[in-house]
């Protein structure tokens, strides 16, 4: 599913790269274990939307449509 969603996520990154940071973690790499535990990653893919104060605003697990993610990002950006 991660590979299936890659084109949509890449497009979102291109669209919003000037307004927010995108961080990609590989759960197979032990160096990310701290963040995997911190954000309770329990499905792949898991997309967490975090505001500028490090507050978790939304979590999506499994396949998501680009529109769903884009709407959530736009809502976060509107909050400022």
């Amino acid at each position: 599913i991660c590979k299936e969603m890659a084109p949509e996520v890449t497009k979102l990154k291109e669209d919003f790269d000037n307004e927010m940071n995108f961080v990609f973690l590989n759960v197979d790499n032990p160096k990310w274990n701290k963040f995997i535990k911190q954000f309770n990653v329990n499905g792949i893919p898991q997309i967490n939307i975090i505001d500028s104060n490090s507050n978790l605003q939304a979590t999506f697990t499994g396949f998501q449509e680009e529109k769903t993610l884009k709407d959530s990002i736009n809502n976060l950006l509107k909050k400022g």
Side-chain angles (χ1 to χ4, degrees):
I1 295 175
C2 291
K3 290 179 182 177
E4 187 178 339
M5 285 182 59
E8 287 86 2
V9 174
T10 299
K11 173 86 168 77
L12 289 170
K13 183 178 183 319
E14 290 170 2
D15 291 347
F16 292 100
D17 205 29
N18 292 330
E19 300 170 82
M20 63 190 316
N21 295 317
F22 284 73
V23 178
F24 299 91
L25 305 178
N26 181 343
V27 297
D28 296 327
N29 188 330
K31 78 177 185 178
W32 301 117
N33 283 344
K34 173 186 172 187
F35 298 104
I36 292 166
K37 289 177 184 171
Q38 179 180 350
F39 293 106
N40 195 28
V41 175
N42 57 16
I44 301 172
Q46 179 169 318
I47 297 171
N48 293 326
I49 298 179
I50 302 166
D51 68 16
S52 59
N53 295 315
S54 300
N55 296 312
L56 183 63
Q57 297 296 314
T59 297
F60 299 96
T61 304
F63 182 83
Q64 302 296 317
E65 297 289 334
E66 180 183 354
K67 182 181 181 339
T68 303
L69 299 174
K70 191 172 191 170
D71 288 348
S72 185
I73 291 170
N74 280 320
N75 286 335
L76 176 62
L77 293 174
K78 285 179 191 174
K79 290 180 183 179

